Amino acid sequence: QVQLVESGGGLVQDGGSLRLSCAASGRTFSNYAMGWFRQAPGKEREFVAAISWSGGVTAHADSVKGRFTISRDNAKNTLYLQMNNLKPEDTAVYYCAAPREGSPLTTRLDQFLNWGQGTQVTVSS
């Protein structure tokens, strides 16, 4: 299994920016499509963005399209989520995740098998 560790969360004002990172280890990172999810208090975990193993194909939830960008650096075994124009409703714990090794890009939460511990993002109004 691939091990995932997120970082980069914090407190930011409405309209601010953050970049989340997810460091992968244990397996060949470039063999995995990857994704970001988030969970706000009292709500279900939801899809944010996903990326193919090569980085050539991405998908973003409608709620973040135009504001968030997923990317990866396979040489550094790291996944990123650049978040711009943050809003209070973006407040959540953000998780990076990987589906089964070799799987194509997916946005379905139930297909992600490996999860990081999460990083808190809080946007103040």
Side-chain angles (χ1 to χ4, degrees), residues 10-18 67-68 83-91 121-125:
L11 174 64
V12 64
Q13 289 188 332
D14 192 354
S17 298
L18 282 174
R67 300 187 299 123
F68 292 12
M83 305 187 293
N84 298 328
N85 191 21
L86 282 159
K87 304 175 182 180
E89 52 263 42
D90 295 318
T91 295
V121 172
T122 303
V123 184
S124 63
S125 57

Side-chain angles (χ1 to χ4, degrees), residues 1-22:
Q1 287 187 341
V2 61
Q3 284 79 51
L4 304 170
V5 179
E6 302 95 335
S7 61
L11 174 64
V12 64
Q13 289 188 332
D14 192 354
S17 298
L18 282 174
R19 188 176 80 156
L20 305 184
S21 298
C22 172

Side-chain angles (χ1 to χ4, degrees), residues 23-88:
S25 63
R27 302 287 292 176
T28 302
F29 180 61
S30 59
N31 288 346
Y32 290 86
M34 297 292 296
W36 286 99
F37 291 79
R38 66 186 182 186
Q39 188 166 18
K43 294 188 176 181
E44 294 186 350
R45 193 168 298 190
E46 65 175 5
F47 166 75
V48 175
I51 191 167
S52 63
W53 64 268
S54 69
V57 182
T58 62
H60 296 79
D62 288 344
S63 59
V64 307
K65 217 169 270 185
R67 300 187 299 123
F68 292 12
T69 303
I70 189 172
S71 64
R72 67 190 296 160
D73 186 336
N74 286 342
K76 294 183 178 180
N77 294 336
T78 304
L79 176 73
Y80 302 100
L81 184 68
Q82 178 66 44
M83 305 187 293
N84 298 328
N85 191 21
L86 282 159
K87 304 175 182 180

